[in-house]
Amino acid sequence: MDLMGMMGKLRDTQLKIEETKKRLDTVLIDEQSSDGLLKVTFTANSKLKSITIDDSLLEDKDQLEDYLIVVINKAIEKAESVNKAELDAVTKVDMPMIPGMEDMFK
């Protein structure tokens, strides 16, 4: 087993993971309610970038809260899915998994 080569690959993989995380800050995930009255945008790193609320939703606090919960959760799920796929692609291509080290790349 080439330990030095493995350490070099590990370092390279860590750098690629960091680069991927930075790039995912620029990948935008848009989600909206089925009627289009509420829209949110997140980065693929699950950071909220914007919320657009139609004026009609401002009249009913309970409805607005329900919309926010549903739409934000859908956007976060999409963002997490994109994030996981991108990071998995980096770690699986560049690094043979060593038993017990899987959690290091999450």
Side-chain angles (χ1 to χ4, degrees):
M1 179 155 99
D2 177 14
L3 193 55
M4 291 306 288
M6 192 88 99
M7 293 305 288
K9 275 193 165 196
L10 183 60
R11 222 176 2 264
D12 291 346
T13 300
Q14 278 300 123
L15 287 173
K16 286 182 181 179
I17 289 170
E18 292 307 313
E19 288 170 7
T20 301
K21 285 180 179 179
K22 284 180 188 170
R23 185 175 55 78
L24 289 174
D25 275 334
T26 67
V27 175
L28 300 180
I29 309 295
D30 295 314
E31 187 60 56
Q32 66 180 2
S33 58
S34 57
D35 56 14
L37 297 178
L38 178 77
K39 299 174 184 174
V40 299
T41 302
F42 276 80
T43 69
N45 283 326
S46 299
K47 301 288 183 215
L48 182 62
K49 297 297 279 184
S50 71
I51 298 176
T52 305
I53 301 170
D54 187 271
D55 288 344
S56 64
L57 288 176
L58 299 177
E59 298 165 12
D60 186 342
K61 181 178 181 282
D62 290 335
Q63 182 184 17
L64 175 56
E65 289 171 349
D66 290 343
Y67 270 61
L68 285 167
I69 290 168
V70 169
V71 175
I72 288 173
N73 281 334
K74 282 173 41 178
I76 289 172
E77 285 176 21
K78 282 185 180 179
E80 287 174 348
S81 177
V82 169
N83 187 292
K84 182 179 181 338
E86 292 289 325
L87 291 176
D88 282 354
V90 171
T91 57
K92 286 180 181 165
V93 167
D94 293 336
M95 193 66 196
M97 276 301 138
I98 301 166
M101 292 187 73
E102 299 88 1
D103 292 336
M104 203 172 153
F105 298 105
K106 291 183 181 173

